[in-house]
Amino acid sequence: MKNIIKSLVITIIALSFSSANAQDYYNVLKYGAKNDSSKLATTAIKNAIDAAVKKGGGTIYFPAGKYLTGPIHLKSNITILIDAGAELHFSDNFDDYLPMVKSRYEGVDVTSFSPLFYAYKAENIAIKGRGLIDGHGKKWWDFVEGYKEGQERSKWQHTFDDLNKDILLPDDPKQMKRGFLRPPFIQFMHSKNIIIEGITIQNSPFWTVNPQFCENIKIYGVTIFNPAKNAPNTDGINPESCKNVHISDCHISVGDDCITIKSGKDAPGRKMATPAENYTITNSTMLSGHGGVVIGSEMSGDVRKITISNCVFDGTDRGIRIKSARGRGGIVEEIRVSNIVMKNIRDQAIVLDLQYAKTTVEPVSERTPRFRNIHFSNITGQVNQAAFLNGLEEMPIENITFSDINLDAKSGFDISNSNRIEFHNVQINTEIGAAIKANKVNNLTIDNVKSYSPLANSPILDLKNVNDAFIYNSNPFSGTGIYLRLSGAETKNISLGNNNFRNAKMPIKKEEDVKEEVKVISGDK
């Protein structure tokens, strides 16, 4: 008898758990949604979310089929589950994205069109599944591309003007004054504990996955497709001013940058002063895009503690790109990039550019951006240019290392206005020019740098106005004409040690404007 009672109790408990779990799922069809896209499902989805919120949260379930919807606003403890075979097609009727909501656009805090997926001050939220979400961005793209300055303003622009009279503007306020800001596809604001997993996303009106001021974000196994052409600013994943972000196992091909890290623009970004920090980006593939992984140019709130590893960039315009300009302010630092393969890179494998926008020299202030403590290792690829490092006269790029790099490139490294630059075990095979060209660089270390396709009329190293350089462990390949060329009246304190120059016709060529002799420490042959 005791065993029978015990068995009944266990059965009741099991049924009770089963019932509770079943109630956690809110099938949108039961709330009036149609899975043949015959009816706008916005209200049905909202009703399902509201029902789940009343129970403390739950999963909003989309079974297979096609759904037409307007914006979806998530609340705390809500998971959107888009099953295999399910497709969410978002309306391209701009009115469906009213009323406007608190948002951020290219680093400026505004009130604008509702993002397609939106959350504000929520926690424990997720978008998951094997289904598809389509932003139908073409109408948004065409409006922006076709807009001419001075033409009659639309009702949406007038609404934007009324809601944003007192916003803090960036140095170049053109976009804000135009007043038509396309919504991001997924934008969660001031939220935490976020998961985006497994889904395929396409045709975003603007930036695709764009958490802002959020904490603890996991973006895993996501595929993003936006057209490579005529789809402006359709970046893939843009976590801005967020903390503790993990992006992995993603596949991205878009009309702008694949993954971009930002923290606000100019004075608006400095006012919010919220850095992007503690990001891990790994095990992902980037195809079409302006850059594989990009930091900036909106980095006014600082970017720090970032790791990028085990990725393939195949067909992007650039590989790793860090960009800023005078007026931004902010610091980019503590960055590690390792184990990267690059193929078919149209421009540079690596870019660090503090003159992304054309500006004039100004005194160092809160408007002055800084790049420092950035390290690259174990990178291989075929690119147009190996790297471009371009600091400011008043704020050089500082403490950058390149280790175990192997690149075939049309042209090599081009470095200017930089301090404390190191190369260790770097092989660069160029078609034109030097493997490394440096101008206005202080404290340069070059350890075992070579080219297996030396050019008769170009040196391997071309240093101009370089101060405090140490070149060692060089072993030029057969056919090398000039290994080291020195020029510039500011070139001084050049030291060599433990080099084997037997295969170099001219180990060192010193131009007349270099007054100081090269110091050979020991071991050179």
Side-chain angles (χ1 to χ4, degrees):
M1 188 67 177
K2 289 182 178 179
N3 288 337
I4 293 173
I5 293 171
K6 185 177 180 180
S7 178
L8 284 171
V9 170
I10 292 171
T11 301
I12 290 168
I13 292 171
L15 288 171
S16 180
F17 274 115
S18 176
S19 175
N21 288 337
Q23 289 175 0
D24 287 342
Y25 280 77
Y26 296 79
N27 189 325
V28 294
L29 297 177
K30 293 182 179 180
Y31 291 85
K34 300 294 184 183
N35 63 351
D36 60 1
S37 67
S38 63
K39 177 184 176 183
L40 200 65
T42 314
T43 300
I45 296 167
K46 181 181 182 300
N47 289 341
I49 291 172
D50 289 344
V53 169
K54 287 180 180 179
K55 297 290 186 178
T59 296
I60 311 305
Y61 176 63
F62 291 82
K66 290 186 178 181
Y67 303 82
L68 177 63
T69 183
I72 298 173
H73 289 200
L74 278 68
K75 305 294 184 182
S76 291
N77 305 314
I78 293 295
T79 292
I80 302 292
L81 177 56
I82 305 165
D83 211 346
E87 298 180 7
L88 272 63
H89 292 266
F90 283 82
S91 164
D92 63 2
N93 181 348
F94 301 163
D95 288 335
D96 289 338
Y97 299 89
L98 302 175
M100 293 186 173
V101 299
K102 292 181 180 179
S103 182
R104 202 187 206 193
Y105 188 94
E106 292 189 345
V108 181
D109 299 278
V110 295
T111 299
S112 189
F113 286 114
S114 170
L116 283 56
F117 280 101
Y118 180 71
Y120 189 84
K121 293 185 177 178
E123 61 183 52
N124 305 325
I125 56 178
I127 304 172
K128 295 182 176 183
R130 300 300 299 159
L132 168 74
I133 58 176
D134 191 323
H136 291 274
K138 187 175 187 305
K139 188 175 176 182
W140 297 96
W141 309 330
D142 289 349
F143 187 98
V144 170
E145 294 291 277
Y147 181 80
K148 305 296 182 186
E149 296 298 334
Q151 76 181 49
E152 185 177 351
R153 295 174 71 77
S154 67
K155 62 180 181 180
W156 306 293
Q157 289 164 303
H158 285 300
T159 299
F160 180 90
D161 293 344
D162 291 341
L163 294 172
N164 293 279
K165 290 177 181 177
D166 299 320
I167 63 170
L168 185 59
L169 293 171
D171 286 0
D172 181 0
K174 181 178 179 181
Q175 282 277 39
M176 303 302 129
K177 290 188 175 180
R178 177 180 288 185
F180 187 89
L181 308 182
R182 292 162 288 152
F185 204 134
I186 300 172
Q187 187 179 70
F188 299 150
M189 303 278 296
H190 302 283
S191 298
K192 63 182 179 180
N193 302 335
I194 296 164
I195 296 175
I196 302 173
E197 179 182 334
I199 57 172
T200 296
I201 311 172
Q202 64 186 28
N203 298 319
S204 177
F206 182 58
W207 294 351
T208 306
V209 179
N210 180 218
Q212 298 270 4
F213 307 109
C214 293
E215 291 187 26
N216 301 337
I217 303 164
K218 292 183 179 179
I219 302 169
Y220 171 77
V222 170
T223 299
I224 300 175
F225 290 122
N226 294 320
K229 296 181 179 179
N230 303 317
N233 314 111
T234 52
D235 303 48
I237 301 174
N238 298 52
E240 186 166 0
S241 294
C242 292
K243 185 176 182 179
N244 304 332
V245 177
H246 190 101
I247 300 169
S248 69
D249 300 274
C250 292
H251 180 72
I252 303 172
S253 183
V254 294
D256 207 314
D257 297 322
C258 294
I259 296 177
T260 306
I261 302 168
K262 300 176 182 289
S263 65
K265 185 175 185 178
D266 301 343
R270 295 195 297 272
K271 178 185 176 182
M272 298 303 290
T274 306
E277 61 182 342
N278 300 350
Y279 287 29
T280 296
I281 300 168
T282 190
N283 297 345
S284 295
T285 303
M286 330 293 182
L287 300 182
S288 174
H290 293 179
V293 178
V294 177
I295 299 175
S297 64
E298 300 95 320
M299 41 61 70
S300 302
D302 298 342
V303 177
R304 56 180 177 248
K305 292 178 284 186
I306 310 292
T307 67
I308 303 162
S309 66
N310 302 334
C311 291
V312 175
F313 307 147
D314 189 354
T316 58
D317 293 352
R318 300 162 192 86
I320 303 293
R321 187 183 191 190
I322 307 177
K323 55 184 180 178
S324 188
R326 295 179 180 98
R328 293 285 189 265
I331 303 170
V332 175
E333 63 182 346
E334 299 171 22
I335 314 295
R336 287 275 177 181
V337 181
S338 63
N339 297 343
I340 306 294
V341 175
M342 302 189 193
K343 185 79 173 179
N344 302 314
I345 305 300
R346 190 193 73 177
D347 297 318
Q348 298 90 1
I350 297 166
V351 178
L352 278 67
D353 189 4
L354 280 170
Q355 300 187 50
Y356 172 64
K358 193 172 182 179
T359 56
T360 57
V361 177
E362 60 181 62
V364 173
S365 70
E366 64 174 4
R367 292 171 42 85
T368 308
R370 303 183 182 195
F371 292 172
R372 64 192 185 197
N373 305 336
I374 303 170
H375 309 285
F376 301 88
S377 64
N378 297 298
I379 298 174
T380 184
Q382 294 78 45
V383 304
N384 186 55
Q385 184 179 25
F388 178 66
L389 278 66
N390 186 28
L392 299 174
E393 291 180 37
E394 68 272 26
M395 184 57 65
I397 294 168
E398 189 171 65
N399 191 20
I400 315 296
T401 63
F402 302 94
S403 304
D404 300 305
I405 310 289
N406 190 315
L407 295 172
D408 292 326
K410 185 174 182 180
S411 60
F413 283 76
D414 188 347
I415 306 170
S416 60
N417 293 315
S418 301
N419 294 338
R420 295 171 57 197
I421 309 298
E422 295 193 11
F423 292 85
H424 300 278
N425 301 323
V426 174
Q427 177 189 312
I428 313 160
N429 301 314
T430 63
E431 296 179 21
I432 58 172
I436 297 174
K437 182 171 70 172
N439 183 27
K440 296 183 180 179
V441 175
N442 296 321
N443 298 300
L444 175 64
T445 299
I446 296 178
D447 164 26
N448 190 23
V449 170
K450 68 177 63 178
S451 172
Y452 284 110
S453 58
L455 304 172
N457 298 319
S458 295
I460 304 299
L461 309 177
D462 193 352
L463 311 185
K464 182 178 181 179
N465 295 319
V466 170
N467 180 28
D468 282 319
F470 183 36
I471 301 162
Y472 64 103
N473 290 338
S474 303
N475 186 20
F477 192 65
S478 178
T480 299
I482 302 169
Y483 184 78
L484 170 62
R485 176 177 178 265
L486 300 172
S487 64
E490 297 176 28
T491 294
K492 59 183 179 179
N493 300 327
I494 308 299
S495 302
L496 284 77
N498 198 37
N499 299 294
N500 181 359
F501 289 136
R502 288 178 297 180
N503 290 324
K505 294 181 180 177
M506 183 181 293
I508 304 169
K509 182 178 181 182
K510 189 162 70 74
E511 303 295 349
E512 292 182 359
D513 54 356
V514 178
K515 304 304 180 183
E516 194 174 278
E517 294 299 319
V518 175
K519 183 178 181 180
V520 178
I521 296 174
S522 66
D524 287 355
K525 299 177 182 179

